[in-house]
Amino acid sequence: MAGRVIIVGGGYVGTELAQALDTEADVTLIEPREAFVHSAAMIRAVVKPDLVEQALFPYDRLLARGTVLRARAASVSAQSVTLETGRVIEGDVIVVATGSSYAAPFKPTGDTVDSLRTSNAAAHAAVRDARHVAIVGAGAVGSELAGEIKAVSPATAVTLISDLASLFPTYPARLGTDLLKKLDLLGVEVILGQSAVGLERTDAPFSGPLTLTDGRQIDSDLVFPATGAIPQTHLLDPLPGVTHGADGRVLTDKWMRPSDHPNLFVAGDAADNGDGMTIVGASRQTPWLARIIRGVLSGKPAERMVGYMPWGRAPILLPLGEHLGSSFMPLVGLVGNGPTRLIKGRFLFLPKYGKLFKTTR
């Protein structure tokens, strides 16, 4: 089997897919940044900034045969990618894995990781000096951040605010209830069913108090917006047949194809294929997509292969510092502090990515 595979985006999907196909195809991975960012570690890095460098992995050892091209894609077509420099790279299969953006300091902005270093240093200093931290948004990022701050700085007041009536309502109620108990144990004030009025910004932390929709004043001196990821679909939007779901992601068919082009695929946070915007979703998509691409390169149309089956209810791992946490695992259900620490809370999957990128840390 031979063929040219172009993958746009060196995040969780792009890197693992590139490595999976490296010995079987001519792989080109296009990524503007000089290093992979393990963003799952960036929440704890707010209070333990030494984690930033540990969670940056250069791409130079990722592929044995293929090419990691440090560049930014300007457009994609049925069988090519055009770079911002004007260079056109042709391929037999195109995969767009551009992921999502998030408020600082949890993901980088721009074409280097320097923005991440800068925003993390600023956030760490702000938390260190804060008397009262408010976090707007009680999804995985917001909940984990509340726990991480209190685990390291128990004297700092932390208020976690959600416009939902419960934590993680798409999961069994026991998960949210257990998390509430542990957040209370840490001293986190959780306010449910309320929104913040007139947020100064949603892309980075800022100073000042908050007003809630019921008129309540939160006397915070530091606010973290954690209102969710924004899918990066700009390369896909101009393609024929592309449509978007309610959250802005690009809808796909059963074979993760977003457009009328049969050999152009999308995966990860930019794709609305039934999975949530999580690393866990990407981990299920990547091996499936690798199999589909192998079939396509051997001459078999994607529609003659088994379509993708998304998670029914994906696992979710929610550490609150290194020692506390709650998680939901399919076939098992709710698990508590010990399993959460063992699976994620202690090492944050850093050894896994050290192995993937062949680092010596």
Side-chain angles (χ1 to χ4, degrees), residues 158-315:
V158 176
T159 301
L160 180 64
I161 302 157
S162 174
D163 60 356
L164 302 176
S166 61
L167 294 180
F168 302 96
T170 61
Y171 284 87
R174 288 181 60 205
L175 175 64
T177 301
D178 198 55
L179 281 167
L180 280 173
K181 289 179 181 177
K182 288 169 183 173
L183 287 165
D184 182 65
L185 179 66
L186 286 166
V188 176
E189 177 189 20
V190 180
I191 298 175
L192 299 173
Q194 293 293 320
S195 299
V197 177
L199 281 180
E200 178 180 316
R201 60 191 302 177
T202 58
D203 62 341
F206 58 92
S207 60
L210 284 178
T211 301
L212 304 185
T213 45
D214 64 0
R216 224 179 318 178
Q217 298 287 318
I218 306 298
D219 186 27
S220 55
D221 48 5
L222 177 63
V223 179
F224 277 90
T227 51
I230 300 172
Q232 297 299 292
T233 65
H234 57 285
L235 292 176
L236 298 164
D237 296 342
L239 298 179
V242 165
T243 56
H244 295 78
D247 60 2
R249 291 186 292 168
V250 170
L251 294 166
T252 74
D253 66 9
K254 291 192 296 184
W255 299 277
M256 288 194 203
R257 298 180 300 188
S259 70
D260 297 340
H261 301 318
N263 289 352
L264 189 148
F265 301 87
V266 59
D269 283 358
D272 188 344
N273 53 22
D275 285 330
M277 296 169 69
T278 66
I279 298 170
V280 172
S283 71
R284 185 182 182 93
Q285 295 167 30
T286 303
W288 177 89
L289 187 54
R291 290 193 295 272
I292 290 293
I293 291 172
R294 291 185 188 107
V296 169
L297 293 178
S298 66
K300 190 174 183 180
E303 52 269 25
R304 290 180 53 193
M305 293 177 270
V306 176
Y308 179 68
M309 294 292 292
W311 287 101
R313 185 181 275 151

Side-chain angles (χ1 to χ4, degrees), residues 4 6 28 30 69 71-91 94:
R4 301 163 299 173
I6 305 173
T28 300
I30 300 171
L69 183 61
R72 180 167 289 277
S75 64
V76 298
S77 67
Q79 290 189 307
S80 70
V81 175
T82 301
L83 305 181
E84 286 189 343
T85 61
R87 178 183 171 188
V88 177
I89 304 172
E90 295 184 348
I94 311 294

Side-chain angles (χ1 to χ4, degrees), residues 29-157:
L29 175 64
I30 300 171
E31 166 58 47
R33 298 186 183 113
E34 69 273 29
F36 169 86
V37 177
H38 178 36
S39 57
M42 292 302 119
I43 303 169
R44 185 171 296 166
V46 170
V47 293
K48 295 188 175 181
D50 60 307
L51 280 173
V52 171
E53 297 304 322
Q54 295 179 47
L56 299 179
F57 297 94
Y59 291 101
D60 52 356
R61 298 181 184 177
L62 177 68
L63 303 180
R65 295 178 63 249
T67 300
V68 179
L69 183 61
R70 188 175 177 191
R72 180 167 289 277
S75 64
V76 298
S77 67
Q79 290 189 307
S80 70
V81 175
T82 301
L83 305 181
E84 286 189 343
T85 61
R87 178 183 171 188
V88 177
I89 304 172
E90 295 184 348
D92 302 297
V93 171
I94 311 294
V95 180
V96 176
T98 44
S100 62
S101 62
Y102 206 99
F106 307 112
K107 287 190 176 184
T109 57
D111 289 352
T112 77
V113 296
D114 286 342
S115 65
L116 186 72
R117 294 184 174 104
T118 300
S119 64
N120 173 266
H124 174 66
V127 169
R128 181 194 60 210
D129 298 337
R131 173 186 52 83
H132 186 171
V133 177
I135 302 167
V136 180
V141 172
S143 297
E144 288 187 38
L145 180 62
E148 296 289 354
I149 292 173
K150 290 297 283 189
V152 169
S153 183
T156 303

